[in-house]
Amino acid sequence: MAEESRNFIHAIIDDDLATGKNGDKVITRFPPEPNGYLHIGHAKSICLNFSTAQKYHGKCNLRYDDTNPVKEDMEYINSIEEDVRWLGFEWDARLWASDYFDTMYDAAVELIKQGKAYVCELTADEMREYRGTLTEPGKESPYRNRSVEENLRLFEEMKAGKYADGEKTLRAKIDMASPNINMRDPIIYRIAHATHHNTGDKWCIYPMYDFAHPIEDAIEGITHSICTLEFEDHRPLYDWVVNNVGWWPNPPQQIEFARLNLTHTVMSKRYLKALVDDGVVDGWDDPRMPTIAGIRRRGYTPEAIRNFCEEIGVAKANSTVDIGMLEHFVRDDLKDKVCNKNVVIDPIKVIIDNYPEGKVEMLPIENNGNVPELGQREIPFSREIWVDGADFMEEPVKKYFRLFPGNEVRLKAAYFVKCNEVVKNEDGSIKELHCTYDPETKSGSGFTGRKVKGTIHFVEATTAVPIKIRELDYLMDFGEDGRAVTNPESMKVITAYAEPSIKETKPGDRYQFFRHGYYCADTKLCTEDELVFNQIVPLKSSWKPE
Ligand code: ATP
Ligand code: MG
């Protein structure tokens, strides 16, 4: 990995280290809201935060941003931790934003005492009306000039549960004429009579994200709070909160970068949850899902994802990355790691008429042509074999060098065979091909007598193992109107024939199915009797590295 890469965030950190702004400290955090499974966009944020901390020998916290009083879901918490670890990172501390509710409350009281926050009674509709627009300044709330004492009393009463949801809010007193609408007296506390997974019924007021997040960062001594570009306009409020509460001599700095967008991919937990809830997919870890759990089950590797995140870098402007580039990194990582297996799809039976009946010979074959260290295995060969449907054409098109009547091809690791006859079923489909082999041409014999243009693979018929393959296509896309649409044909389950050594497969094992693509044995569906493989990526890519 390009360890020396230095993005604009690293440039900021280098400057801060040079000026001694935070001493020699670099502390980052990854702050998921535990309301769903993490997706590949989160992977970008995880890689950035954790590897930045690593680069500077700093720290990175895993912080659950649980300031919303929703039911805790242990399933989500567990999945988040599994995903971060699977990507290869370990947090320095695991923290909960809700543990800071007392400090946040005290910070709000502090602002009230300074005359910088007030209890407002405008309804949501009124507040919208008062807020103004991008071209018009807002109007001040009639409650804006309450005395500190009255505000303290009312806020205390809000906390004590005297008011209903929405009846009152606590707002920061900033500037209703600010060109930045986020600065027009934003709400910092709201009333919500809801039970919180951590604090139970202790609170019926909850801090808003823009108030809570900077305080969480400040409490933890985060030096660089990395977030996505949508929060750029919120940065003045972030700074306002930490500076006006005033308890932190070295307040954290928010830095925004462009979120990761991928073609064919909707990155929103809410949308992904709907796919799960509606049964469009088989759970959060369905191998078609862009969740980390999904791509892990599909067979993507953490190295591939880290390399991809490193390569796309950190941008300051939003863009959409071709998903082919992610697939390229997956293929690139697998190509020198995994062994081949011969697997025949859409099989055609081939009978080698001049090969002795009843004879089976074991032929050595390399596990990975690029990597001799991965060694060899043996595959059986006999008079009856299967070949890929795509490796035969009765009437060959131009430049087709595989099997067709009268043509000779090389069977990988075996012999040259020549197709002599096509036998059909009554319905016109192919029953079998009759071929002859040339014993002189045995692989490894050094035969140079003649050349053939095509090499195909095969599976010996009597020992072939039927396996199930799930061929995957993109699950989702954006329609012309930009709305998400799902592809009803995103998974095609087929039966194929594999060489007998496939039986050694354990769930999670990855192979190249020779000449087809990369596949991973499903971690949930494989049984004693049946192996089920998910397609990881096809062999060829439409995406080209620059
Ligand atoms: P979603 O809309 O999918 O729920 P979120 O941003 O609300 O995403 P959080 O759990 O709040 O999800 O995000 C945790 C962290 O991950 C945040 O710092 C957020 O900025 C970052 N993040 C989320 N999506 C992306 C993305 N597509 N690219 C980069 N970072 C992301
Ligand atoms: Mg969120």
Side-chain angles (χ1 to χ4, degrees):
M1 240 196 303
E3 219 219 297
E4 281 316 303
S5 69
R6 185 169 173 276
N7 55 49
F8 81 91
I9 295 178
H10 297 157
I12 293 172
I13 296 176
D14 288 339
D15 282 351
D16 290 346
L17 290 170
T19 60
K21 182 179 170 214
N22 309 298
D24 58 359
K25 277 198 308 191
V26 175
I27 306 179
T28 60
R29 85 286 174 266
F30 173 64
E33 191 179 343
N35 61 349
Y37 278 59
L38 300 180
H39 50 61
I40 177 89
H42 294 113
K44 171 76 213 179
S45 175
I46 292 168
C47 289
L48 181 57
N49 280 293
F50 282 92
S51 62
T52 296
Q54 277 172 0
K55 179 180 164 94
Y56 292 96
H57 308 289
K59 290 186 170 151
C60 182
N61 293 341
L62 172 62
R63 180 206 305 149
Y64 292 112
D65 209 333
D66 63 342
T67 52
N68 270 329
V70 287
K71 202 170 117 274
E72 176 185 33
D73 206 322
M74 274 321 286
E75 183 190 347
Y76 297 147
I77 305 271
N78 291 337
S79 75
I80 288 168
E81 298 183 5
E82 185 179 1
D83 291 350
V84 172
R85 289 198 168 117
W86 179 74
L87 282 171
F89 301 107
E90 187 64 44
W91 45 91
D92 286 281
R94 187 187 67 163
L95 302 159
W96 303 80
S98 57
D99 284 340
Y100 312 140
F101 278 163
D102 285 305
T103 309
M104 291 173 189
Y105 179 81
D106 292 346
V109 169
E110 170 69 31
L111 289 177
I112 295 174
K113 285 185 179 158
Q114 292 180 32
K116 290 173 181 163
Y118 62 96
V119 173
C120 187
E121 286 165 44
L122 292 179
T123 63
D125 283 339
E126 288 166 335
M127 221 175 276
R128 203 167 303 121
E129 216 177 283
Y130 275 68
R131 193 184 300 134
T133 63
L134 283 173
T135 49
E136 276 172 72
K139 271 193 310 191
E140 294 191 349
S141 160
Y143 307 100
R144 197 173 200 261
N145 294 312
R146 283 180 151 143
S147 68
V148 168
E149 289 67 35
E150 191 181 6
N151 281 318
L152 286 173
R153 179 176 57 80
L154 291 171
F155 189 48
E156 178 70 40
E157 287 175 0
M158 280 168 66
K159 181 192 176 205
K162 196 163 170 194
Y163 307 109
D165 291 6
E167 207 179 321
K168 288 186 170 48
T169 56
L170 185 71
R171 298 176 69 181
K173 193 172 182 177
I174 310 180
D175 179 7
M176 288 308 293
S178 172
N180 182 340
I181 292 180
N182 295 308
M183 299 298 273
R184 294 184 188 169
D185 290 11
I187 299 174
I188 58 178
Y189 258 94
R190 70 197 162 105
I191 300 171
H193 290 269
T195 304
H196 188 280
H197 74 90
N198 183 19
T199 56
D201 293 323
K202 174 174 176 189
W203 299 94
C204 62
I205 55 171
Y206 291 94
M208 303 299 285
Y209 180 89
D210 282 339
F211 178 69
H213 206 85
I215 293 178
E216 294 158 24
D217 287 341
I219 291 171
E220 292 175 17
I222 302 300
T223 54
H224 301 87
S225 174
I226 301 169
C227 67
T228 47
L229 227 46
E230 311 89 85
F231 292 96
E232 194 168 18
D233 288 347
H234 299 238
R235 192 190 333 138
L237 180 53
Y238 183 102
D239 291 340
W240 186 93
V241 170
V242 284
N243 291 327
N244 284 282
V245 172
W247 294 340
W248 304 282
N250 259 344
Q253 179 186 357
Q254 175 181 304
I255 305 171
E256 310 86 17
F257 74 104
R259 63 190 291 118
L260 170 62
N261 296 307
L262 279 178
T263 56
H264 296 287
T265 312
V266 181
M267 296 235 231
S268 140
K269 276 181 274 182
R270 190 155 16 108
Y271 177 79
L272 299 177
K273 184 168 190 308
L275 293 180
V276 174
D277 292 344
D278 298 347
V280 176
V281 293
D282 181 21
W284 286 95
D285 65 350
D286 185 298
R288 295 166 292 179
M289 288 281 269
T291 51
I292 298 178
I295 60 185
R296 173 171 60 234
R297 182 168 169 198
R298 182 169 185 162
Y300 282 27
T301 59
E303 294 83 356
I305 293 164
R306 290 200 306 263
N307 292 344
F308 167 72
C309 289
E310 179 70 33
E311 178 66 23
I312 55 178
V314 187
K316 272 205 173 259
N318 280 320
S319 65
T320 300
V321 176
D322 188 335
I323 195 165
M325 183 174 168
L326 173 60
E327 293 163 353
H328 164 81
F329 276 87
V330 174
R331 202 179 288 113
D332 201 55
D333 186 51
L334 293 176
K335 75 177 194 307
D336 295 333
K337 276 187 182 165
V338 305
C339 294
N340 294 342
K341 292 288 174 207
N342 275 5
V343 172
V344 163
I345 291 173
D346 192 13
I348 297 181
K349 174 71 76 68
V350 172
I351 312 224
I352 299 161
D353 291 310
N354 61 339
Y355 194 88
E357 231 164 305
K359 175 176 173 180
V360 179
E361 64 180 311
M362 296 304 290
L363 302 170
I365 187 168
E366 62 217 341
N367 279 326
N368 182 324
N370 300 324
V371 189
E373 302 82 68
L374 284 175
Q376 293 193 333
R377 67 191 187 284
E378 290 193 321
I379 53 171
F381 181 74
S382 80
R383 192 168 188 271
E384 291 195 16
I385 60 174
W386 295 108
V387 300
D388 260 15
D391 284 339
F392 175 76
M393 275 185 114
E394 193 165 8
E395 285 164 35
V397 293
K398 247 176 124 180
K399 297 212 169 149
Y400 188 83
F401 301 121
R402 292 171 263 171
L403 268 186
F404 55 86
N407 193 40
E408 188 175 48
V409 298
R410 178 198 308 274
L411 290 177
K412 175 85 174 168
Y415 302 92
F416 289 10
V417 293
K418 185 172 175 188
C419 177
N420 303 311
E421 192 195 351
V422 186
V423 179
K424 301 216 171 147
N425 296 307
E426 270 178 14
D427 65 1
S429 60
I430 295 171
K431 179 164 180 263
E432 57 198 30
L433 306 178
H434 283 268
C435 294
T436 44
Y437 87 117
D438 177 352
E440 301 271 295
T441 59
K442 185 168 181 176
S443 178
S445 69
F447 175 79
T448 52
R450 61 185 184 279
K451 289 208 159 82
V452 287
K453 280 197 169 147
T455 299
I456 67 173
H457 67 283
F458 67 94
V459 169
E460 197 276 325
T462 61
T463 51
V465 179
I467 59 170
K468 214 172 246 179
I469 293 181
R470 307 206 289 175
E471 299 283 10
L472 306 179
D473 195 357
Y474 299 119
L475 171 66
M476 49 185 101
D477 211 340
F478 298 93
E480 298 221 324
D481 56 359
R483 302 237 320 241
V485 290
T486 50
N487 172 7
E489 281 161 27
S490 53
M491 186 184 289
K492 213 170 74 194
V493 184
I494 57 173
T495 297
Y497 290 133
E499 60 173 86
S501 73
I502 200 88
K503 287 195 210 138
E504 301 152 11
T505 302
K506 289 181 290 304
D509 283 352
R510 304 180 182 91
Y511 303 115
Q512 184 195 126
F513 288 170
F514 186 57
R515 299 176 61 229
H516 284 300
Y518 294 97
Y519 292 82
C520 182
D522 193 86
T523 46
K524 285 190 166 166
L525 301 177
C526 289
T527 64
E528 287 280 301
D529 301 327
E530 185 183 53
L531 290 168
V532 181
F533 288 88
N534 297 310
Q535 180 189 44
I536 309 173
V537 277
L539 276 189
K540 293 243 166 51
S541 155
S542 53
W543 183 85
K544 294 262 176 298
E546 276 165 31

